Amino acid sequence: MAKALAEPIRVHILDVVRRSPVPVCQCELVPLFDVPQSTLSHHVNKLVDAGVVAVERRHKWAYYSVRQDAIKELIAWLS
């Protein structure tokens, strides 16, 4: 998990997703970051692979939400 959060853009992505009361569509993330969509997908996939972010596929879009158990683990690790 720490390795996944070693990149500042991933911390920012996690913060955006964490602050949203509903799952965040991939299409909503793209305009927030000054990187190509493929690069953003790469970083989000690293968060998903680390178990920090969950992904739900709806038709052609991906929706992201924070895994609360992972956040609790992260908080415990940082304490």
Side-chain angles (χ1 to χ4, degrees):
M1 187 181 311
K3 187 175 179 181
L5 295 173
E7 291 285 336
I9 188 171
R10 294 182 197 154
V11 174
H12 190 186
I13 292 167
L14 179 62
D15 189 50
V16 169
V17 174
R18 183 187 62 82
R19 290 175 183 265
S20 178
V22 296
V24 178
C25 180
Q26 177 182 7
C27 62
E28 296 171 312
L29 289 175
V30 172
L32 299 177
F33 297 90
D34 190 25
V35 295
Q37 187 274 332
S38 59
T39 302
L40 182 63
S41 290
H42 166 77
H43 288 296
V44 173
N45 284 332
K46 291 292 186 181
L47 293 170
V48 170
D49 292 344
V52 180
V53 172
V55 61
E56 176 188 349
R57 305 259 182 226
R58 298 181 197 167
H59 306 288
K60 68 176 186 172
W61 296 110
Y63 289 79
Y64 301 102
S65 57
V66 170
R67 293 192 51 213
Q68 292 303 319
D69 56 328
I71 295 300
K72 289 177 185 174
E73 182 181 330
L74 180 61
I75 290 169
W77 181 71
L78 292 172
S79 297

